[in-house]
Amino acid sequence: MKRIVAVTACPTGVAHTIMAAEALKQVGASMGHSVTVETQGAQGARDVLSPEAIAAADAVIIASDIHIDPSRFVGKPIHAVSTGDAIRKTKAVIEAALAESGEPEEAAPPPADAIPHPPIAEAQSVSIVGVTSCPTGIAHTFMAAEALRKAATELGYAVKIETQGSVGAKNVLAPEDIAQADAVVIAADAFVDASRFVGKPLYETTTKAALHDARQVIETALAAPPKTAASSEAAPAEAASGAPRKKASAGPGPYRHLMTGVSYMLPVVVAGGLLIALAFALGGIYVGDQKGTLGWALMQIGGATAFKLYIPVLAGFIAYSIAERPGIAPGLVGGMLAATEGAGFLGGIVAGFLAGYLTRWLNGAIRLPKNLEGLKPVLILPFLSTLVVGLLLVFVIGPPVKAILTALTDWLAGMHQASALIFGLILGGMMAVDMGGPVNKAAYTFGVGLLASNVYAPMAAVMAGGMTPPLALGLAATLFPKRFSPEEHEASKAAMVLGLAFITEGAIPFAARDPFRVIPCAVLGSAVTGALSMVYGVTLMVPHGGAFVLLIPGAVTHVAAYAAAIAIGTAVTVLALYVAKRRIPVAA
C-alpha cells in the first residue's frame, strides 16, 4: 500500500474540487492505496494536509485549475494535473503519480571515486549555478530548484538557481553569476537553451533526478567536461534536421489565468449581490435614495463598494497568476480604471492580462546589480507596469472597450423577444456543452461580468441552464432505471441535489459514460431553459446559489416563471434521454 496526499482546487472550490477529491479517494482505495486529500477554492482550504501526512507520503498529486503553492512538498515526487483529468482519468493519474516516485531513469553517473571533492577549507569558494524547468512550469520546476539549493548549502557551496516556471523566469542568472560559476546544472524536462554556458562544466539531467539525489547531481556537474560551442549548436541543428526535441512550456495558458482571477472575484460578487438583493427586499427599487436606512446602508456596502471592487479584484489576480506579486498593483489599478472609465468587466480582463504579461516581460528585460535587485518587485516593476497599463487604459484600450460594452448593454436592455430567445438558447446551451469546462466557464464569466453593468437577465439564463443537466439526468435515472447502470442510478439522487445547487458538474459521471447521447440531450434542455428565462424577462442579481436563491427576497424576479423555465428544460432533457438512451441488457 502506498500513501498519497493530494490537493484539489477549482475557481469556485465546489464542484470540480470535491468531485476530484472523491474520485481520488475512491479509486485510490480500490487500488489498495491510502489517499488523503485537501480541497481548496473560494471558501478557503479544507482538510488541510498536516506536515506529518506530507512527510509520510510516497507521492503528491496536485489536481488544480488555479494556482497552487507547491513549496510545502519540497523533496516529494509531485504529479500535477487538471481537476478534469483527476475526475475522468483517476486511475491513470494515480499510476502516473506513483511512477514519479520511482528512481529516475538516468545514465549511471561517474563512480564516486572519480568525482573530486574539494577540501573543506576550499568549499566556500565553489560556486554552482543552475536552471530548472518542466512542461507545466509549476511543481517540478520549483521543487528541483529547492532540492539543488538545499544540497549545495549542505555541501558548503555558493548556489544560484534560475527557475523557468509558469510565471516566467525567476532568479535569472546574470552574466556575472555564470562567469564566477565552477559548474552548471540544468535539471529540466523541457527545452532549455544552454548556449550561454559555453566553457563551463555542464551536467544536464531531469527534474526527477534533482529531486531524488541533488547532491549527486551537483557532484557530477563538478566533474563534467566544459561545454563547447559545437555542442551549443546541436539544438538548432536538430531543429533544422526535423528531429524532435522538447520545447519549453509557455505555462498554464490564458484560461487558467482567467480562472484564477474569477476564483478570487467570486466571493466579492456573491457578497455584493446578496447584499443588493437584501437591500431591495427591505426598501424597494428606490432604496438607494432612502439615506440613513438599513436598506440604504446595505446598498452602499453591496452596490457602491463590493460591486465596484470586483473588477479590480478580477484584473489584479489575473495579473497575479501571470506575474505573481509584482503583477497585483498594475492589475488592481488597471481594473479600477476599467471600472471607472466604463470599460466594465471586458476592460478588467484586458487590464489583467496586459498587466501580467507586461510585468513578466519587464522582469526579464530589466537587469540590475545584485544589490539593487530587491527594488524590482516593490518599486520598479509595479511603478512602470502601473504607468504603462494606466495610460493604455485611459487613452487606448478604455474608450473602444467602453463603446463595445455600452453597445452590448444597450442591445441586451432593448432586445426583442426573438433576440432574447436566440441569446438565451446560446447561453443555456453553452452551460451544458462541457459541464464545467472552458465553454461553460466562458458563458458563466460573461453572465457574472454583466452584473456590474446592471444587466441581470443573462445571469439568470446562465444559472438556469447550468442547473438543468444534473437535475434532468438524476430524474431520468430515477424514472427510467433500465436505461442507466446501477452506478448511475445510485448517483441520481446526488446529481439532483447538485443540480438544485447550480453545480453542473453533477452531470459529468453520466456524460463520461455515454457522451454521444447524454451531452446533446443536456444541451437541448439547457438551451430551452435559457431561452425561456430570457423570454420571460427573469433577472438574477447574484451569480450562484441555485434554487436556494429563490428563497431570498428580491434576488430573482418572476420567480414562478423562472421555476417553470427550469422545469420545462429539465423535462425536455428527460424526454430526450428516454428516446436516445437504450435499455441496458440484464446479465443472465
Side-chain angles (χ1 to χ4, degrees):
M1 183 186 76
K2 297 290 186 180
R3 292 184 178 89
I4 301 170
V5 295
V7 178
T8 63
C10 71
T12 61
V14 183
H16 275 178
T17 299
I18 295 171
M19 293 176 70
E22 288 303 314
L24 289 170
K25 289 177 187 174
Q26 292 180 17
V27 175
S30 70
M31 295 170 69
H33 305 311
S34 169
V35 182
T36 305
V37 185
E38 171 185 317
T39 58
Q40 293 188 15
Q43 298 175 345
R46 295 185 177 181
D47 301 321
V48 178
L49 298 172
S50 65
E52 295 76 17
I54 296 172
D58 298 297
V60 177
I61 296 172
I62 296 179
S64 174
D65 303 319
I66 59 176
H67 176 72
I68 295 294
D69 181 8
S71 58
R72 55 183 162 152
F73 303 119
V74 170
K76 292 290 179 180
I78 299 176
H79 185 59
V81 296
S82 66
T83 55
D85 283 346
I87 294 167
R88 297 179 179 90
K89 307 172 185 176
T90 316
K91 185 175 180 181
V93 167
I94 292 173
E95 289 173 345
L98 292 174
E100 294 278 353
S101 64
E103 289 299 318
E105 296 178 4
E106 294 279 326
D113 54 5
I115 299 173
H117 294 268
I120 298 297
E122 298 176 8
Q124 291 293 339
S125 64
V126 176
S127 177
I128 303 292
V129 297
V131 179
T132 62
S133 180
C134 69
T136 59
I138 303 173
H140 289 76
T141 298
F142 298 103
M143 299 303 97
E146 189 59 32
L148 289 169
R149 287 191 197 101
K150 184 177 178 182
T153 302
E154 289 174 352
L155 288 165
Y157 302 158
V159 61
K160 182 175 182 179
I161 307 296
E162 173 183 316
T163 55
Q164 296 185 3
S166 60
V167 290
K170 305 287 289 182
N171 202 35
V172 178
L173 298 174
E176 297 79 21
D177 299 323
I178 299 170
Q180 295 169 6
D182 295 287
V184 179
V185 174
I186 295 180
D189 305 318
F191 174 75
V192 171
D193 183 8
S195 59
R196 53 181 165 159
F197 303 121
V198 170
K200 292 292 178 179
L202 174 68
Y203 179 53
E204 296 187 67
T205 186
T206 63
T207 55
K208 188 187 293 185
L211 284 166
H212 279 274
D213 197 348
R215 184 174 185 141
Q216 183 67 66
V217 167
I218 291 171
E219 291 178 338
T220 303
L222 287 168
K227 181 175 179 60
T228 63
S231 63
S232 70
E233 293 167 3
E238 272 185 306
S241 67
R245 66 180 177 87
K246 292 179 181 178
K247 187 178 180 181
S249 170
Y255 174 71
R256 182 171 289 185
H257 299 320
L258 177 62
M259 288 301 102
T260 298
V262 169
S263 72
Y264 283 98
M265 173 194 76
L266 270 180
V268 181
V269 180
V270 171
L274 288 174
L275 287 166
I276 292 171
L278 203 54
F280 283 146
L282 291 174
I285 195 69
Y286 300 109
V287 66
D289 299 330
Q290 301 167 13
K291 194 169 183 179
T293 64
L294 177 59
W296 173 85
L298 293 175
M299 183 60 77
Q300 293 302 305
I301 299 168
T305 306
F307 259 44
K308 287 185 178 177
L309 187 62
Y310 92 76
I311 293 175
V313 171
L314 171 65
F317 283 96
I318 288 174
Y320 165 74
S321 178
I322 298 168
E324 292 194 343
R325 278 189 290 180
I328 291 179
L332 288 172
V333 173
M336 182 61 76
L337 282 169
T340 56
E341 293 289 320
F345 80 101
L346 293 176
I349 292 172
V350 173
F353 280 106
L354 176 62
Y357 286 117
L358 175 64
T359 304
R360 193 165 78 175
W361 178 78
L362 287 172
N363 188 34
I366 298 173
R367 306 284 185 180
L368 293 175
K370 240 185 231 183
N371 59 339
L372 296 178
E373 277 289 327
L375 293 176
K376 280 172 69 175
V378 297
L379 174 61
I380 297 172
L381 294 178
F383 169 68
L384 292 177
S385 297
T386 302
L387 175 66
V388 174
V389 170
L391 290 173
L392 287 174
L393 256 294
V394 172
F395 293 111
V396 180
I397 298 171
V401 173
K402 178 183 178 180
I404 293 170
L405 187 65
T406 301
L408 176 62
T409 303
D410 291 342
W411 177 74
L412 290 171
M415 64 183 169
H416 302 292
Q417 281 204 335
S419 301
L421 182 105
I422 294 170
F423 192 57
L425 281 170
I426 294 170
L427 283 179
M430 288 176 69
M431 293 301 293
V433 168
D434 53 1
M435 302 176 188
V439 177
N440 171 287
K441 289 295 188 292
Y444 179 72
T445 303
F446 179 77
V448 173
L450 287 174
L451 294 178
S453 301
N454 300 321
V455 178
Y456 304 113
M459 189 67 246
V462 164
M463 190 167 83
M467 292 169 64
T468 300
L471 281 172
L473 282 156
L475 185 59
T478 302
L479 294 175
F480 319 125
K482 293 181 180 179
R483 283 173 164 76
F484 293 86
S485 68
E487 293 82 6
E488 289 174 318
H489 189 262
E490 186 179 338
S492 63
K493 294 179 179 62
M496 286 189 279
V497 172
L498 291 172
L500 288 172
F502 180 36
I503 299 174
T504 317
E505 290 87 344
I508 287 177
F510 301 88
R513 188 179 184 92
D514 191 6
F516 296 108
R517 292 186 179 90
V518 168
I519 293 176
C521 295
V523 170
L524 178 62
S526 290
V528 169
T529 298
L532 290 174
S533 176
M534 291 293 294
V535 169
Y536 292 156
V538 180
T539 61
L540 175 65
M541 305 195 69
V542 293
H544 219 289
F548 307 105
V549 172
L550 302 180
L551 304 176
I552 301 174
V556 185
T557 61
H558 309 302
V559 175
Y562 195 45
I566 295 170
I568 293 170
T570 300
V572 168
T573 297
V574 169
L575 291 173
L577 287 167
Y578 178 79
V579 174
K581 295 274 287 182
R582 297 176 182 174
R583 288 173 177 261
I584 297 176
V586 180

